[in-house]
Amino acid sequence: MQGPEEKEAEKDGETALDIRKRKRLERDPLHQGLIVQRSHLKGREYQIDLAARLGKTQVVGVNMPLNQQAGYYCSVCDCILRDSQSYLDHINGKWHNRALGMTMRVEKSTVDQVRKRLEENKKKKEEKNDDDYLPDGIDRRILEAEQAEERAQEEKRTRKLEKKQKERQQREEEETEGADADMMAVMGFGGFGTTKK
Ligand SMILES: [Zn+2]
């Protein structure tokens, strides 16, 4: 199926592709002299509501302006997309972003920028959790970490003490055993458990 403008174009010896190219150039701010250089690709600052016209009834005619026809209308490129998927493809695409004065290249982030963003996100996360702040302004997680460290140190200390105690006990046992043996030898015993005298 051909649109009315494409039929009209063929009369002048211009193909549909030529027309599309010419229109793209006409919309391009670089070719209009509005900008000198394309900017890097930027994120959208608005939310897309794909369901904005859901459930609405509309009369559609062939000769109506594009923005009143069925589908998703792009006011930048003056074109209509028939479904949400192709609309998203379009507004994320090369020609649409060119018309907005951008290249498809994304600006390279520096280490500082990445660090800053990470810090911002961290701050945001911390702000959300009010429970993490005790009344006196101490961060609960820091407090918990400190307590855990203290507990670990105490455990280590008790383990050391136990070990020392065990060693001492063993030494004492060995000494008493030796002493017993000496004593028994003196008294003429061969050892416990014997019936000889
Ligand atoms: Zn567009």
Short mmCIF file of all heavy atoms in Angstrom, two decimals, residues 82-129:
data_model
loop_
_atom_site.label_atom_id
_atom_site.label_comp_id
_atom_site.label_asym_id
_atom_site.label_seq_id
_atom_site.Cartn_x
_atom_site.Cartn_y
_atom_site.Cartn_z
N ARG A 82 2.48 1.91 13.83
CA ARG A 82 1.23 1.18 14.05
C ARG A 82 1.14 0.47 15.39
O ARG A 82 0.05 0.18 15.86
CB ARG A 82 1.03 0.16 12.92
CG ARG A 82 0.82 0.80 11.57
CD ARG A 82 -0.38 1.72 11.56
NE ARG A 82 -0.49 2.42 10.28
CZ ARG A 82 -1.25 3.48 10.08
NH1 ARG A 82 -1.94 3.99 11.07
NH2 ARG A 82 -1.31 4.04 8.90
N ASP A 83 2.24 0.15 15.98
CA ASP A 83 2.17 -0.53 17.29
C ASP A 83 3.26 -0.02 18.21
O ASP A 83 4.19 0.67 17.79
CB ASP A 83 2.26 -2.06 17.13
CG ASP A 83 3.51 -2.46 16.40
OD1 ASP A 83 4.57 -2.49 17.04
OD2 ASP A 83 3.44 -2.72 15.18
N SER A 84 3.13 -0.38 19.49
CA SER A 84 4.04 0.16 20.50
C SER A 84 5.48 -0.28 20.25
O SER A 84 6.42 0.48 20.47
CB SER A 84 3.60 -0.27 21.88
OG SER A 84 3.57 -1.68 21.97
N GLN A 85 5.65 -1.51 19.77
CA GLN A 85 7.00 -2.03 19.54
C GLN A 85 7.72 -1.23 18.46
O GLN A 85 8.86 -0.81 18.65
CB GLN A 85 6.93 -3.51 19.15
CG GLN A 85 8.29 -4.18 19.10
CD GLN A 85 9.01 -4.10 20.42
OE1 GLN A 85 8.52 -4.60 21.44
NE2 GLN A 85 10.16 -3.45 20.46
N SER A 86 7.02 -0.98 17.35
CA SER A 86 7.69 -0.22 16.29
C SER A 86 7.84 1.25 16.68
O SER A 86 8.79 1.91 16.26
CB SER A 86 6.95 -0.36 14.96
OG SER A 86 5.58 -0.17 15.13
N TYR A 87 6.93 1.73 17.53
CA TYR A 87 7.07 3.11 18.02
C TYR A 87 8.34 3.24 18.88
O TYR A 87 9.13 4.17 18.70
CB TYR A 87 5.84 3.50 18.84
CG TYR A 87 5.93 4.88 19.44
CD1 TYR A 87 5.95 6.01 18.62
CD2 TYR A 87 6.01 5.06 20.81
CE1 TYR A 87 6.03 7.28 19.17
CE2 TYR A 87 6.10 6.32 21.37
CZ TYR A 87 6.11 7.43 20.55
OH TYR A 87 6.20 8.68 21.10
N LEU A 88 8.53 2.28 19.76
CA LEU A 88 9.74 2.30 20.60
C LEU A 88 10.99 2.17 19.75
O LEU A 88 11.99 2.85 19.97
CB LEU A 88 9.68 1.16 21.63
CG LEU A 88 8.73 1.39 22.80
CD1 LEU A 88 8.65 0.15 23.67
CD2 LEU A 88 9.15 2.59 23.62
N ASP A 89 10.91 1.25 18.78
CA ASP A 89 12.05 1.11 17.86
C ASP A 89 12.35 2.43 17.17
O ASP A 89 13.50 2.81 16.99
CB ASP A 89 11.77 0.04 16.80
CG ASP A 89 11.92 -1.36 17.36
OD1 ASP A 89 12.53 -1.49 18.44
OD2 ASP A 89 11.44 -2.31 16.73
N HIS A 90 11.28 3.13 16.79
CA HIS A 90 11.45 4.39 16.08
C HIS A 90 12.09 5.46 16.98
O HIS A 90 13.09 6.08 16.59
CB HIS A 90 10.12 4.90 15.56
CG HIS A 90 10.19 6.30 15.04
ND1 HIS A 90 10.75 6.61 13.82
CD2 HIS A 90 9.83 7.49 15.60
CE1 HIS A 90 10.72 7.92 13.64
NE2 HIS A 90 10.16 8.48 14.71
N ILE A 91 11.54 5.66 18.17
CA ILE A 91 12.08 6.74 19.00
C ILE A 91 13.44 6.40 19.59
O ILE A 91 14.14 7.28 20.07
CB ILE A 91 11.10 7.19 20.12
CG1 ILE A 91 10.75 6.01 21.02
CG2 ILE A 91 9.86 7.82 19.54
CD1 ILE A 91 9.96 6.45 22.23
N ASN A 92 13.82 5.14 19.54
CA ASN A 92 15.17 4.77 19.95
C ASN A 92 16.10 4.68 18.75
O ASN A 92 17.28 4.37 18.91
CB ASN A 92 15.16 3.43 20.68
CG ASN A 92 14.50 3.53 22.04
OD1 ASN A 92 14.53 4.57 22.67
ND2 ASN A 92 13.89 2.45 22.47
N GLY A 93 15.57 4.93 17.59
CA GLY A 93 16.32 4.68 16.35
C GLY A 93 17.15 5.84 15.88
O GLY A 93 17.11 6.95 16.40
N LYS A 94 17.90 5.55 14.85
CA LYS A 94 18.89 6.47 14.31
C LYS A 94 18.26 7.75 13.73
O LYS A 94 18.70 8.85 14.06
CB LYS A 94 19.62 5.71 13.21
CG LYS A 94 20.71 6.44 12.51
CD LYS A 94 21.39 5.46 11.59
CE LYS A 94 22.14 6.14 10.47
NZ LYS A 94 22.60 5.15 9.48
N TRP A 95 17.22 7.58 12.93
CA TRP A 95 16.70 8.75 12.21
C TRP A 95 15.96 9.69 13.14
O TRP A 95 16.08 10.91 13.02
CB TRP A 95 15.80 8.30 11.05
CG TRP A 95 16.60 7.55 10.05
CD1 TRP A 95 16.55 6.22 9.80
CD2 TRP A 95 17.62 8.09 9.20
NE1 TRP A 95 17.47 5.89 8.85
CE2 TRP A 95 18.14 7.01 8.46
CE3 TRP A 95 18.14 9.36 9.00
CZ2 TRP A 95 19.17 7.16 7.54
CZ3 TRP A 95 19.16 9.52 8.08
CH2 TRP A 95 19.66 8.43 7.36
N HIS A 96 15.26 9.14 14.07
CA HIS A 96 14.53 9.97 15.04
C HIS A 96 15.53 10.78 15.88
O HIS A 96 15.36 11.97 16.10
CB HIS A 96 13.68 9.08 15.95
CG HIS A 96 12.91 9.84 16.98
ND1 HIS A 96 11.70 10.43 16.72
CD2 HIS A 96 13.19 10.11 18.28
CE1 HIS A 96 11.27 11.03 17.83
NE2 HIS A 96 12.16 10.84 18.79
N ASN A 97 16.58 10.11 16.33
CA ASN A 97 17.55 10.81 17.17
C ASN A 97 18.40 11.79 16.38
O ASN A 97 18.88 12.78 16.91
CB ASN A 97 18.42 9.79 17.92
CG ASN A 97 17.66 9.18 19.08
OD1 ASN A 97 17.12 9.90 19.91
ND2 ASN A 97 17.57 7.86 19.12
N ARG A 98 18.57 11.50 15.09
CA ARG A 98 19.24 12.48 14.24
C ARG A 98 18.42 13.75 14.12
O ARG A 98 18.93 14.85 14.15
CB ARG A 98 19.44 11.89 12.84
CG ARG A 98 20.71 11.14 12.75
CD ARG A 98 21.09 10.95 11.32
NE ARG A 98 22.35 10.27 11.26
CZ ARG A 98 23.02 10.06 10.15
NH1 ARG A 98 22.52 10.47 9.00
NH2 ARG A 98 24.16 9.45 10.18
N ALA A 99 17.11 13.54 13.98
CA ALA A 99 16.21 14.69 13.88
C ALA A 99 16.23 15.52 15.15
O ALA A 99 15.94 16.70 15.14
CB ALA A 99 14.79 14.21 13.58
N LEU A 100 16.59 14.87 16.25
CA LEU A 100 16.70 15.59 17.52
C LEU A 100 18.10 16.17 17.72
O LEU A 100 18.40 16.72 18.78
CB LEU A 100 16.37 14.65 18.69
CG LEU A 100 14.90 14.24 18.83
CD1 LEU A 100 14.75 13.17 19.89
CD2 LEU A 100 14.03 15.44 19.15
N GLY A 101 18.95 15.99 16.72
CA GLY A 101 20.28 16.58 16.79
C GLY A 101 21.31 15.74 17.52
O GLY A 101 22.30 16.26 18.02
N MET A 102 21.07 14.42 17.57
CA MET A 102 22.01 13.56 18.30
C MET A 102 22.60 12.50 17.37
O MET A 102 21.99 12.12 16.38
CB MET A 102 21.28 12.85 19.45
CG MET A 102 20.86 13.78 20.55
SD MET A 102 20.23 12.92 21.98
CE MET A 102 18.56 12.58 21.50
N THR A 103 23.77 12.06 17.72
CA THR A 103 24.32 10.88 17.05
C THR A 103 23.90 9.68 17.88
O THR A 103 23.34 9.82 18.95
CB THR A 103 25.86 10.91 17.04
OG1 THR A 103 26.31 10.93 18.38
CG2 THR A 103 26.39 12.11 16.30
N MET A 104 24.22 8.50 17.40
CA MET A 104 23.89 7.31 18.18
C MET A 104 25.03 6.97 19.14
O MET A 104 24.98 5.99 19.85
CB MET A 104 23.62 6.11 17.27
CG MET A 104 22.34 6.25 16.46
SD MET A 104 20.89 6.60 17.47
CE MET A 104 20.47 4.96 18.02
N ARG A 105 26.07 7.81 19.12
CA ARG A 105 27.20 7.54 20.02
C ARG A 105 26.87 7.99 21.43
O ARG A 105 26.31 9.05 21.64
CB ARG A 105 28.44 8.28 19.53
CG ARG A 105 29.07 7.52 18.40
CD ARG A 105 30.54 7.82 18.28
NE ARG A 105 30.95 7.40 16.93
CZ ARG A 105 31.19 8.26 15.95
NH1 ARG A 105 31.12 9.55 16.16
NH2 ARG A 105 31.52 7.82 14.77
N VAL A 106 27.25 7.17 22.37
CA VAL A 106 27.03 7.50 23.77
C VAL A 106 28.32 8.08 24.31
O VAL A 106 29.41 7.62 23.97
CB VAL A 106 26.65 6.24 24.57
CG1 VAL A 106 26.40 6.57 26.02
CG2 VAL A 106 25.44 5.58 23.96
N GLU A 107 28.18 9.10 25.13
CA GLU A 107 29.35 9.74 25.72
C GLU A 107 30.08 8.75 26.62
O GLU A 107 29.47 8.01 27.38
CB GLU A 107 28.90 10.94 26.54
CG GLU A 107 30.03 11.87 26.88
CD GLU A 107 29.56 13.00 27.78
OE1 GLU A 107 28.34 13.11 28.02
OE2 GLU A 107 30.42 13.77 28.25
N LYS A 108 31.41 8.76 26.51
CA LYS A 108 32.18 7.86 27.37
C LYS A 108 32.26 8.43 28.77
O LYS A 108 32.58 9.59 28.95
CB LYS A 108 33.60 7.72 26.79
CG LYS A 108 33.84 6.36 26.18
CD LYS A 108 35.30 6.12 25.96
CE LYS A 108 35.56 4.65 25.74
NZ LYS A 108 36.96 4.39 25.49
N SER A 109 31.95 7.58 29.75
CA SER A 109 31.97 8.06 31.13
C SER A 109 33.38 8.00 31.68
O SER A 109 34.12 7.07 31.39
CB SER A 109 31.07 7.18 31.99
OG SER A 109 29.77 7.19 31.47
N THR A 110 33.73 9.01 32.47
CA THR A 110 35.04 8.97 33.12
C THR A 110 34.91 8.23 34.45
O THR A 110 33.80 8.00 34.93
CB THR A 110 35.54 10.40 33.40
OG1 THR A 110 34.62 11.02 34.30
CG2 THR A 110 35.65 11.21 32.13
N VAL A 111 36.05 7.90 35.01
CA VAL A 111 36.05 7.19 36.29
C VAL A 111 35.36 8.02 37.36
O VAL A 111 34.60 7.52 38.18
CB VAL A 111 37.50 6.86 36.72
CG1 VAL A 111 37.50 6.15 38.06
CG2 VAL A 111 38.18 6.01 35.67
N ASP A 112 35.62 9.34 37.32
CA ASP A 112 35.02 10.22 38.32
C ASP A 112 33.50 10.22 38.21
O ASP A 112 32.81 10.20 39.23
CB ASP A 112 35.55 11.66 38.13
CG ASP A 112 36.92 11.83 38.76
OD1 ASP A 112 37.25 11.00 39.64
OD2 ASP A 112 37.64 12.76 38.38
N GLN A 113 33.00 10.24 36.98
CA GLN A 113 31.55 10.24 36.79
C GLN A 113 30.92 8.98 37.35
O GLN A 113 29.89 9.02 38.01
CB GLN A 113 31.22 10.35 35.30
CG GLN A 113 31.30 11.77 34.78
CD GLN A 113 31.10 11.81 33.29
OE1 GLN A 113 31.65 11.00 32.55
NE2 GLN A 113 30.29 12.75 32.83
N VAL A 114 31.59 7.85 37.08
CA VAL A 114 31.07 6.57 37.57
C VAL A 114 31.06 6.56 39.09
O VAL A 114 30.09 6.16 39.73
CB VAL A 114 31.93 5.40 37.03
CG1 VAL A 114 31.51 4.08 37.67
CG2 VAL A 114 31.81 5.31 35.52
N ARG A 115 32.17 7.06 39.67
CA ARG A 115 32.28 7.09 41.12
C ARG A 115 31.17 7.95 41.73
O ARG A 115 30.52 7.58 42.69
CB ARG A 115 33.64 7.68 41.50
CG ARG A 115 34.39 6.77 42.46
CD ARG A 115 35.77 7.30 42.71
NE ARG A 115 36.79 6.46 42.12
CZ ARG A 115 37.98 6.89 41.73
NH1 ARG A 115 38.30 8.16 41.82
NH2 ARG A 115 38.85 6.04 41.23
N LYS A 116 30.96 9.12 41.10
CA LYS A 116 29.95 10.05 41.58
C LYS A 116 28.57 9.39 41.53
O LYS A 116 27.80 9.50 42.48
CB LYS A 116 29.95 11.29 40.68
CG LYS A 116 29.70 12.57 41.44
CD LYS A 116 29.91 13.74 40.52
CE LYS A 116 29.17 14.96 40.98
NZ LYS A 116 29.19 16.01 39.95
N ARG A 117 28.28 8.71 40.44
CA ARG A 117 26.98 8.08 40.28
C ARG A 117 26.79 6.99 41.34
O ARG A 117 25.73 6.87 41.94
CB ARG A 117 26.87 7.51 38.87
CG ARG A 117 25.56 6.80 38.56
CD ARG A 117 24.34 7.68 38.78
NE ARG A 117 24.24 8.77 37.84
CZ ARG A 117 23.58 8.71 36.69
NH1 ARG A 117 22.98 7.61 36.35
NH2 ARG A 117 23.53 9.75 35.88
N LEU A 118 27.84 6.23 41.57
CA LEU A 118 27.76 5.16 42.58
C LEU A 118 27.47 5.75 43.95
O LEU A 118 26.65 5.24 44.71
CB LEU A 118 29.07 4.38 42.62
CG LEU A 118 29.28 3.37 41.48
CD1 LEU A 118 30.68 2.79 41.55
CD2 LEU A 118 28.26 2.27 41.55
N GLU A 119 28.15 6.87 44.23
CA GLU A 119 27.96 7.52 45.52
C GLU A 119 26.53 8.04 45.66
O GLU A 119 25.91 7.89 46.70
CB GLU A 119 28.94 8.69 45.65
CG GLU A 119 29.55 8.78 47.03
CD GLU A 119 31.05 8.98 46.95
OE1 GLU A 119 31.79 7.99 46.80
OE2 GLU A 119 31.45 10.15 47.02
N GLU A 120 26.04 8.62 44.57
CA GLU A 120 24.66 9.14 44.58
C GLU A 120 23.68 8.03 44.87
O GLU A 120 22.78 8.18 45.70
CB GLU A 120 24.33 9.75 43.21
CG GLU A 120 24.69 11.21 43.10
CD GLU A 120 24.47 11.71 41.69
OE1 GLU A 120 23.57 11.20 40.99
OE2 GLU A 120 25.21 12.62 41.27
N ASN A 121 23.86 6.91 44.20
CA ASN A 121 22.95 5.78 44.39
C ASN A 121 23.02 5.25 45.82
O ASN A 121 22.02 4.87 46.39
CB ASN A 121 23.29 4.66 43.41
CG ASN A 121 22.87 5.02 42.00
OD1 ASN A 121 22.13 5.98 41.80
ND2 ASN A 121 23.35 4.28 41.03
N LYS A 122 24.23 5.24 46.34
CA LYS A 122 24.43 4.77 47.71
C LYS A 122 23.68 5.68 48.67
O LYS A 122 22.99 5.22 49.57
CB LYS A 122 25.93 4.81 48.02
CG LYS A 122 26.35 3.79 49.05
CD LYS A 122 27.86 3.77 49.16
CE LYS A 122 28.33 3.48 50.55
NZ LYS A 122 29.75 3.81 50.70
N LYS A 123 23.81 7.00 48.44
CA LYS A 123 23.13 7.97 49.29
C LYS A 123 21.63 7.77 49.23
O LYS A 123 20.94 7.77 50.24
CB LYS A 123 23.48 9.39 48.80
CG LYS A 123 24.32 10.14 49.83
CD LYS A 123 24.52 11.56 49.36
CE LYS A 123 25.94 12.02 49.61
NZ LYS A 123 26.27 13.24 48.87
N LYS A 124 21.13 7.59 48.01
CA LYS A 124 19.69 7.40 47.82
C LYS A 124 19.21 6.20 48.61
O LYS A 124 18.17 6.22 49.23
CB LYS A 124 19.41 7.19 46.32
CG LYS A 124 18.75 8.39 45.68
CD LYS A 124 18.24 8.01 44.31
CE LYS A 124 18.65 9.05 43.28
NZ LYS A 124 18.57 8.57 41.91
N LYS A 125 19.97 5.13 48.53
CA LYS A 125 19.62 3.89 49.21
C LYS A 125 19.58 4.12 50.72
O LYS A 125 18.68 3.64 51.40
CB LYS A 125 20.68 2.83 48.89
CG LYS A 125 20.07 1.50 48.46
CD LYS A 125 21.17 0.54 48.17
CE LYS A 125 20.64 -0.83 47.78
NZ LYS A 125 21.75 -1.73 47.51
N GLU A 126 20.55 4.86 51.21
CA GLU A 126 20.62 5.10 52.65
C GLU A 126 19.47 5.99 53.11
O GLU A 126 18.92 5.79 54.18
CB GLU A 126 21.96 5.75 53.00
CG GLU A 126 23.07 4.72 53.09
CD GLU A 126 24.43 5.37 53.21
OE1 GLU A 126 24.50 6.62 53.24
OE2 GLU A 126 25.42 4.62 53.26
N GLU A 127 19.11 6.96 52.27
CA GLU A 127 18.03 7.87 52.64
C GLU A 127 16.71 7.13 52.77
O GLU A 127 15.87 7.47 53.59
CB GLU A 127 17.91 8.97 51.60
CG GLU A 127 18.87 10.11 51.86
CD GLU A 127 18.97 11.04 50.67
OE1 GLU A 127 18.12 10.96 49.77
OE2 GLU A 127 19.91 11.84 50.64
N LYS A 128 16.53 6.13 51.93
CA LYS A 128 15.26 5.40 51.93
C LYS A 128 15.06 4.64 53.23
O LYS A 128 13.95 4.50 53.68
CB LYS A 128 15.24 4.43 50.75
CG LYS A 128 14.66 5.06 49.50
CD LYS A 128 14.61 4.05 48.38
CE LYS A 128 14.47 4.76 47.04
NZ LYS A 128 14.86 3.89 45.95
N ASN A 129 16.13 4.11 53.81
CA ASN A 129 16.01 3.28 55.01
C ASN A 129 16.11 4.13 56.27
O ASN A 129 17.19 4.34 56.80
CB ASN A 129 17.11 2.21 55.02
CG ASN A 129 16.68 1.01 54.20
OD1 ASN A 129 15.50 0.72 54.09
ND2 ASN A 129 17.64 0.33 53.61
#
